[in-house]
């Protein structure tokens, strides 16, 4: 029997004030870190695991275009509704097979709270290396190590309980990404569990 996609089930309720204000914060963090880079309005961007697309919509007016991928059909539907609502004509959503067929390269690739759902992190990082321009930037944002209890409501969770800084350094090293910066960018709390979000910046 095919495994149900958890994100298809929660997609319609993903838009919460808490998540939206986190997306606002992440938008500011991204723009602040990219300040001084070449003209952002000319650069092509790729987001991995965009969910309902709120972060991409908030960023859209700053970039030339943002291509997004997400493996959940429910999230992709919500993305398209939000795209209409935001009138964000330069954001696009695809399923994950899009990554296997792309011929263009991106000047900036980012991902927020997604990699802990990806079993084979190194394969994904190797794939993204092929999609970035020589001077491009990659921002991987995700949970620092969290207790297994964090995903107790996620049926058959088979991802990672966040990542330690050492794990991230090892993944980057093993896949040939240069880690140019590692920092904690946010603190949060889910029920009684406190968590941190890191940003690992990479270049090839
Ligand atoms: C926790 S949500 C985060 C969504 C959004 N980035 C945010 O910060 O609100 C994780 C998202 O990653 C997507 N996802 C999980 N594995 C993926 C993969 N291998 N490729 C693309 N998307 C993936 C899920 O469908 C889901 O929408």
């Amino acid at each position: 029997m095919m495994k149900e996609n958890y994100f298809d089930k929660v997609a319609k309720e993903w838009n919460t004030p808490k998540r939206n204000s986190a997306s606002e914060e992440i938008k500011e963090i991204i723009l602040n870190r990219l300040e001084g880079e070449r003209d952002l309005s000319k650069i092509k961007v790729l987001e991995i695991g965009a969910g309902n697309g709120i972060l991409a919509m908030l960023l859209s007016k700053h970039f030339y275009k943002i291509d997004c991928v997400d493996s959940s059909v429910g999230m992709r539907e919500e993305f398209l509704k939000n795209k209409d609502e935001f009138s964000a004509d330069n954001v696009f959503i695809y399923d994950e097979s899009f990554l296997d067929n792309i011929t263009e390269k991106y000047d900036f690739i980012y991902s927020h709270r997604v990699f802990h759902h990806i079993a084979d992190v190194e394969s994904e990082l190797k794939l993204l290396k092929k999609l970035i321009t020589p001077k491009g930037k990659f921002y991987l944002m995700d949970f620092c190590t969290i207790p297994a209890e964090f995903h107790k409501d996620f049926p058959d969770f088979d991802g990672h309980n966040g990542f330690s800084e050492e794990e991230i350094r090892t993944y980057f090293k093993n896949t040939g990404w240069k880690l140019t910066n590692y920092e904690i960018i946010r603190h949060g709390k889910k029920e009684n569990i406190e968590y941190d979000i890191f940003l690992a910046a990479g270049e090839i």
Side-chain angles (χ1 to χ4, degrees):
M1 208 173 71
M2 219 172 106
K3 216 165 113 183
E4 263 195 338
N5 184 316
Y6 167 79
F7 289 106
D8 287 347
K9 285 182 33 185
V10 297
K12 281 194 165 51
E13 286 84 49
W14 198 255
N15 244 352
T16 62
K18 198 174 161 196
R19 287 206 183 93
N20 291 346
S21 93
S23 296
E24 285 281 358
E25 264 184 64
I26 297 296
K27 175 198 90 171
E28 291 301 326
I29 288 166
I30 288 176
L31 293 175
N32 174 281
R33 301 304 183 276
L34 287 176
E35 213 169 74
E37 295 291 328
R38 62 207 146 120
D39 188 353
L40 296 188
S41 68
K42 293 200 168 68
I43 76 170
K44 288 187 285 183
V45 178
L46 175 67
E47 176 171 0
I48 305 299
N52 64 15
I54 296 294
L55 178 56
M57 311 293 157
L58 293 173
L59 285 167
S60 61
K61 68 171 189 287
H62 298 277
F63 297 109
Y64 174 67
K65 77 155 174 173
I66 310 182
D67 283 337
C68 300
V69 294
D70 200 283
S71 49
S72 153
V73 66
M75 285 292 197
R76 295 197 299 271
E77 284 167 8
E78 293 307 304
F79 185 108
L80 291 174
K81 287 184 204 161
N82 288 326
K83 176 174 162 139
D84 271 353
E85 205 163 297
F86 279 76
S87 303
D89 296 335
N90 63 340
V91 294
F92 305 92
I93 182 72
Y94 304 95
D95 67 33
E96 69 275 30
S97 69
F98 174 75
L99 298 183
D100 301 323
N101 304 308
I102 310 181
T103 48
E104 65 183 325
K105 295 199 185 232
Y106 294 90
D107 309 294
F108 176 48
I109 302 179
Y110 70 93
S111 182
H112 178 242
R113 289 172 62 149
V114 177
F115 268 65
H116 67 284
H117 290 289
I118 298 180
D120 190 346
V121 171
E122 292 196 0
S123 289
E124 187 78 11
L125 289 176
K126 281 184 197 156
L127 175 60
L128 297 186
K129 248 183 86 189
K130 293 186 202 150
L131 304 181
I132 198 149
T133 55
K135 289 191 173 155
K137 306 266 176 219
F138 170 47
Y139 288 178
L140 170 55
M141 296 165 281
D142 208 342
F143 291 104
C144 297
T145 308
I146 38 175
E149 194 196 340
F150 191 91
H151 283 103
K152 66 176 168 29
D153 299 327
F154 192 114
D156 307 321
F157 178 72
D158 58 359
H160 306 262
N161 292 318
F163 301 102
S164 66
E165 179 175 346
E166 203 187 330
E167 282 171 312
I168 292 299
R169 286 187 182 278
T170 305
Y171 284 136
F172 272 50
K173 190 162 174 247
N174 289 350
T175 54
W177 278 99
K178 238 181 282 158
L179 183 71
T180 55
N181 186 36
Y182 178 94
E183 60 179 314
I184 305 300
I185 51 166
R186 278 195 77 232
H187 303 279
K189 195 171 180 186
K190 180 187 167 197
E191 292 160 16
N192 60 342
I193 306 174
E194 306 225 11
Y195 62 81
D196 289 327
I197 301 285
F198 68 83
L199 184 158
E203 286 174 12
I204 53 174

